[in-house]
Amino acid sequence: MPTLEQFADRLGRSTEATAPARTQAHNQDRAAEPRFRAPPHNVEAEQALLGAILVNNDAFDRVSDFLKAQHFSEELHRRIFDVASQLIRAGKIATPITLKTFLGEHDLGGMTIPQYLARLAAEATTIINAEDYGRTIHDLAVRRDLILIGEDIVNGAYDAPISARPRDQIEEAERKLYSVAETGRYDGGFQRFSDALAIAVDMAAKAWERDGRLSGIATGLSDLDRMLGGLQASDLVIIAGRPGMGKTALATNIAFNIAKAYESRPRPDGSHETVNGGIVGFFSLEMSAEQLATRIIAEQAAVPSYKIRRGDIAEAEFHRVAEAARDMQTIPFYIDQTGGISIAQLTARARRLKRQRGLDLLVVDYLQLLSASRSRSENRVQELTEITTGLKALSKELNVPIVALSQLSRQVENRDDKRPQLSDLRESGSIEQDADVVMFVYREEYYLKNKQPREGSEEFLTWQAEMEHVHGRAEVIIGKQRHGPTGTVELAFEAEMTRFSNLAREEDLPARL
């Protein structure tokens, strides 16, 4: 079996001599020359694996999940592995005889390709070591990718144009690093059902210990929690509605309730495990952080937000605002108010938050304000498909629920019954397809208020009775849920405070005398 140096020499490349006997003078001359390090590679491991595959094609099945042709350092080895994999996947046999037809006749400096294939098969190791060799090749390829990313970072920092921001380069570097981390995993494939069963039982045990007996994170709205079982890890939850329905208010209320309820306990390794509530990351692409904070303060202090903005508040109200702000100082609620970011930037920032501070819930307000990382020439439907697919993949990767808000199309306004449906989701069917839960926010009061008839008429009395019935009420329509029922949940809504809360029911009130 030719070694790396022999193989390189036969291809006409010059490499460092490997003879151990060198004169002292030669060593001193070599020390004075600049040293160039070769990227990490292991040609012998590549030869051993390829030989094992050629002798017994079952060796390919042991590495096909994680090993690709581009992971090999030698171009010839990449070609051999690629052709062999195509033959095996087509149900054919990959041997030196069948491969040589597709590799052609090339002189490797005294050795032809058929001879090289025969040597690989003749000196192959057993199939038992195939996976270990495959992992070695894979890990070295990942290291080479890291070196290339490092070179790009250095060159990009040196040659950056005036308009380039360092933050953009950092986010691009993070995206590449996490891309390598994601493709560098070989722990997938089948697992024993008993392992999955243990995880399910553990989840049920934690739900028993948690407040409300929920398997997911409690939203603070008990009727909604009963339908959803809380917000489940790795779920993509869509909250959709027409403008003015209160979808941002609902997302803000849920996010703050979760952050306010946060409790943790230390693990043996010094990190902290969430016991109740959670750490919340909120991407506010529409509102500024100050506007979002004003909404939350208005909700917590029970002071209308427009009064806070104008400064038109009484002394008692000001004390409530100050007390609410003081209580909110310590909650784990993090806001990113950058507008117009791409799904790649959002992903990088969410990963960073998870790594640095922890993360239990991610909120995106709202989907249509995100941009895709691909070319702008593509239509919006394709762009939104990339966004929703990226959010679903991120929720699984970080193992946290992601709540994303979405606009609805105007066709809702053309119907007599303006309750939204799944078909009203704007611009793409991918939202419905990728989401685990789709919820619509609907307030009859919003539409009825605009239909006020002439005061004093019979229609006015009917309208007034209807307004009294729907005043302060909102419906959350669960149009899709993968692991639970669909239906409607009624909530109380205080428009001035932009606050959703549990609706007091007649049967829950104390008996009247």
Side-chain angles (χ1 to χ4, degrees), residues 290-329:
E290 291 77 16
Q291 290 172 323
L292 195 61
T294 302
R295 278 198 172 206
I296 297 173
I297 290 174
E299 175 206 336
Q300 294 299 304
V303 177
S305 57
Y306 71 87
K307 281 191 170 186
I308 297 175
R309 285 195 297 270
R310 295 175 185 172
D312 180 22
I313 55 178
E315 185 177 350
E317 291 174 325
F318 178 79
H319 286 307
R320 290 208 304 273
V321 168
E323 186 177 352
R326 190 165 48 250
D327 292 341
M328 289 160 57
Q329 291 287 335

Side-chain angles (χ1 to χ4, degrees), residues 1 42-64 66-69 71-72 77 80-81 84 88 94 99 116 120-121 123-138:
M1 181 78 62
N42 189 332
V43 173
E44 289 77 11
E46 295 178 7
Q47 292 172 330
L49 176 62
L50 291 174
I53 292 173
L54 294 177
V55 170
N56 187 341
N57 288 175
D58 289 343
F60 176 77
D61 295 331
R62 302 196 174 199
V63 297
S64 58
F66 60 89
L67 196 63
K68 303 290 183 286
H71 292 144
F72 288 81
H77 292 169
I80 293 172
F81 185 83
I88 294 169
L99 254 69
Y116 187 66
L120 286 176
E123 300 182 15
T125 57
T126 62
I127 188 176
I128 298 172
N129 300 323
E131 185 175 352
D132 293 329
Y133 286 133
R135 291 189 176 186
T136 298
I137 296 165
H138 179 277

Side-chain angles (χ1 to χ4, degrees), residues 236-250:
L236 175 59
V237 180
I238 300 295
I239 298 179
R242 290 292 295 156
M245 289 294 105
K247 57 184 180 297
T248 299
L250 179 60

Side-chain angles (χ1 to χ4, degrees), residues 171-183 185 283 343-359 362 390 393-398 400 402:
E171 289 177 351
E172 177 65 15
E174 284 185 334
R175 185 190 65 79
K176 289 180 179 178
L177 284 170
Y178 277 103
S179 175
V180 170
E182 190 62 21
T183 58
R185 296 168 58 183
F283 283 96
I343 182 62
Q345 290 173 311
L346 182 145
T347 300
R349 295 180 187 190
R351 286 163 172 160
R352 190 187 311 147
L353 179 61
K354 171 92 172 182
R355 186 175 66 251
Q356 293 176 348
R357 302 185 183 275
L359 184 64
L362 193 66
L394 182 64
S395 69
K396 291 181 69 177
E397 177 191 331
L398 300 182
V400 301
I402 294 181

Side-chain angles (χ1 to χ4, degrees), residues 247-502:
K247 57 184 180 297
T248 299
L250 179 60
T252 305
N253 292 173
I254 290 173
F256 184 79
N257 289 343
I258 290 172
K260 190 176 180 181
Y262 175 68
E263 295 176 12
S264 65
R265 63 186 172 203
R267 291 193 182 101
D269 61 359
S271 61
H272 283 76
E273 176 187 16
T274 300
V275 177
N276 214 13
I279 300 169
V280 177
F282 199 110
F283 283 96
S284 181
L285 282 72
E286 186 177 31
M287 293 190 298
S288 68
E290 291 77 16
Q291 290 172 323
L292 195 61
T294 302
R295 278 198 172 206
I296 297 173
I297 290 174
E299 175 206 336
Q300 294 299 304
V303 177
S305 57
Y306 71 87
K307 281 191 170 186
I308 297 175
R309 285 195 297 270
R310 295 175 185 172
D312 180 22
I313 55 178
E315 185 177 350
E317 291 174 325
F318 178 79
H319 286 307
R320 290 208 304 273
V321 168
E323 186 177 352
R326 190 165 48 250
D327 292 341
M328 289 160 57
Q329 291 287 335
T330 56
I331 66 167
F333 193 105
Y334 302 97
I335 302 171
D336 188 317
Q337 60 178 350
T338 312
I341 62 174
S342 68
I343 182 62
Q345 290 173 311
L346 182 145
T347 300
R349 295 180 187 190
R351 286 163 172 160
R352 190 187 311 147
L353 179 61
K354 171 92 172 182
R355 186 175 66 251
Q356 293 176 348
R357 302 185 183 275
L359 184 64
D360 296 297
L361 170 69
L362 193 66
V363 182
V364 181
D365 181 17
Y366 58 93
L367 270 180
Q368 281 77 13
L369 292 178
L370 278 172
S371 61
S373 56
R374 294 176 184 170
S375 171
R376 283 284 186 181
S377 63
E378 295 185 4
N379 63 51
R380 184 57 181 163
V381 173
Q382 291 174 313
E383 204 171 358
L384 205 60
T385 299
E386 182 191 343
I387 290 168
T388 57
T389 304
L391 286 176
K392 177 56 188 171
L394 182 64
S395 69
K396 291 181 69 177
E397 177 191 331
L398 300 182
N399 196 34
V400 301
I402 294 181
V403 175
L405 278 59
S406 175
Q407 294 280 18
L408 291 178
S409 63
R410 289 189 180 91
Q411 65 188 16
V412 176
E413 310 296 335
N414 300 327
R415 297 197 299 262
D416 292 335
D417 185 358
K418 294 179 170 42
R419 285 175 174 80
Q421 305 167 1
L422 288 172
S423 58
D424 297 324
L425 286 168
R426 187 171 165 185
E427 292 179 320
S428 177
S430 67
I431 299 176
E432 178 186 350
Q433 176 184 321
D434 293 326
D436 297 281
V437 178
V438 179
M439 299 189 293
F440 301 103
V441 185
Y442 174 73
R443 293 194 297 118
E444 181 70 23
E445 180 184 11
Y446 178 86
Y447 291 105
L448 200 59
K449 186 169 60 176
N450 298 327
K451 296 180 180 178
Q452 181 178 350
R454 184 172 54 84
E455 194 168 344
S457 64
E458 186 177 340
E459 291 83 2
F460 179 80
L461 295 176
T462 305
W463 173 85
Q464 197 172 34
E466 290 177 353
M467 278 295 291
E468 287 177 1
H469 177 69
V470 299
H471 177 68
R473 287 173 177 256
E475 296 178 22
V476 176
I477 303 165
I478 302 174
K480 175 187 177 181
Q481 186 177 188
R482 287 195 204 277
H483 37 248
T486 58
T488 301
V489 176
E490 287 194 330
L491 299 174
F493 180 67
E494 300 169 78
E496 288 190 337
M497 271 75 79
T498 62
R499 178 168 62 188
F500 284 87
S501 56
N502 296 309

